[in-house]
Amino acid sequence: MPVPEQSPSPKRRGRLLRFGAAVVVLCAVAGYLVVQYVTGAGAPGCKVVAGSGGRAAYEFTPEQAVNAATIAAVGTGRGMPERAVTIALATAIQESGLRNIDHGDRDSLGLFQQRPSQGWGTPKEIMDPTYAADIFYEHLAKVRDYTRLPLTVAAQRVQRSGFPTAYAKHEPDATLLAAALTGESAATLTCAGRPTATQATGPDAVRSALARDFGRDVLEPAAAEVGGAATPTPTPSVGKGDGRTVTLPVTADTASDGGRSLRQRGWQLAHWAVANASALRIERVSYAGWEWTAGNTDSRWRRAAAGGAGAEKDAGAVRIVTAR
């Protein structure tokens, strides 16, 4: 006579149920991670790495990237050297974490925690990152020999902070950021994840943001001198084929601020576009044979494929393609 099977004990049934639930959860997590890896659809994040194979890196959010790119653009637009941009970025990292905050100690506001009561401007002006960066540089330029001073000393002479040595700890990160965002280092700023814009996007929005940070000259460069004769400089254009591409010529007249090279100007514009990719739904950026594409699993700059949109070998133009 066969012995009837005994039902599992309540304790064993509980273990089996918990084990089954754990397997289901693990499978779901694994599937999610595979999708994120394949599609690059994770939360956007940005990184700057040291050039020439260095290991140093600074990671930050798309919001911080936009603000950092604005600070750098305003500085170079004023003809300030890279050291000035480093000082400004270190100051903003300390004061606001590169976030345009509407609060602070007493009446302090914005990226640099500037105070309306101390003559820095109106609250509305200070909350404009372009204005805030410009007035910071205006004060920094008045600091005698600021490029030779320790960073924390130069920053403190502008800020008059209650913590005068606080800026020093941000110098390594600010130096990495400044090198990328002034174009000194090439292909070192990347942003991962799909664009998640909440504002106006498309070529017109890109052009408007460029004018905001760099001034109208970036869109309407003057005639370039070639061999002593004035030659019309090509103006930025929107691609006729898809209506999504903004082409920015990189010419001598657009790179003249502060004695900067064409290469530096080109990489500044290219890195600026990547930093603004999430805010403006920029899908692809190419320059001098290199290409960055939003949503890649590692979002690194890569050598453009032969015949591709970014495969040009010269450094004559930065091409910015917005998402559909």
Side-chain angles (χ1 to χ4, degrees), residues 76-149:
T76 57
R78 289 181 64 98
M80 305 289 277
E82 185 180 337
R83 178 64 173 173
V85 176
T86 300
I87 295 168
L89 289 168
T91 302
I93 293 172
Q94 169 60 30
E95 296 291 353
S96 67
L98 284 173
R99 294 180 175 87
N100 195 29
I101 53 179
D102 61 358
H103 59 274
D105 179 45
R106 288 169 282 190
D107 60 338
S108 299
L109 296 169
L111 290 174
F112 296 91
Q113 289 292 278
Q114 295 155 337
R115 299 180 60 193
S117 65
Q118 300 301 306
W120 285 94
T122 67
K124 182 178 180 180
E125 288 173 330
I126 291 171
M127 288 300 295
D128 176 356
T130 304
Y131 171 90
D134 188 65
I135 198 168
F136 176 89
Y137 287 120
E138 181 181 313
H139 283 72
L140 179 63
K142 297 175 183 176
V143 177
R144 185 175 180 180
D145 293 329
Y146 72 85
T147 58
R148 299 181 182 180
L149 294 174

Side-chain angles (χ1 to χ4, degrees), residues 56-58 86 90 93 151 167-178:
Y58 177 69
T86 300
I93 293 172
L151 181 146
Y167 307 103
K169 63 179 177 286
H170 302 296
E171 184 167 0
D173 291 335
T175 299
L176 277 179
L177 276 173

Side-chain angles (χ1 to χ4, degrees), residues 154-213:
Q156 173 62 7
R157 291 188 182 175
V158 175
Q159 295 294 106
R160 309 293 183 183
S161 169
F163 304 93
T165 62
Y167 307 103
K169 63 179 177 286
H170 302 296
E171 184 167 0
D173 291 335
T175 299
L176 277 179
L177 276 173
L181 291 170
T182 62
E184 176 62 30
S185 61
T188 55
L189 189 153
T190 62
C191 290
R194 298 291 185 185
T196 56
T198 58
Q199 61 189 54
T201 59
D204 287 344
V206 171
R207 290 165 64 87
S208 177
L210 282 162
R212 174 199 69 205
D213 286 359

Side-chain angles (χ1 to χ4, degrees), residues 1 36-38 45 49 56 69 90-91 93 115 117 130 153 161 194 199 246 274 277 279 283 286 292 309 320:
M1 181 176 181
Q36 300 304 302
Y37 181 83
V38 171
V49 297
T91 302
I93 293 172
R115 299 180 60 193
S117 65
T130 304
V153 173
S161 169
R194 298 291 185 185
Q199 61 189 54
V246 177
V274 173
E283 187 174 86
S286 59
W292 171 89
I320 303 169

Side-chain angles (χ1 to χ4, degrees), residues 266-280:
W267 278 110
Q268 178 176 27
L269 292 169
H271 283 155
W272 176 93
V274 173
N276 281 271
S278 182
L280 298 172

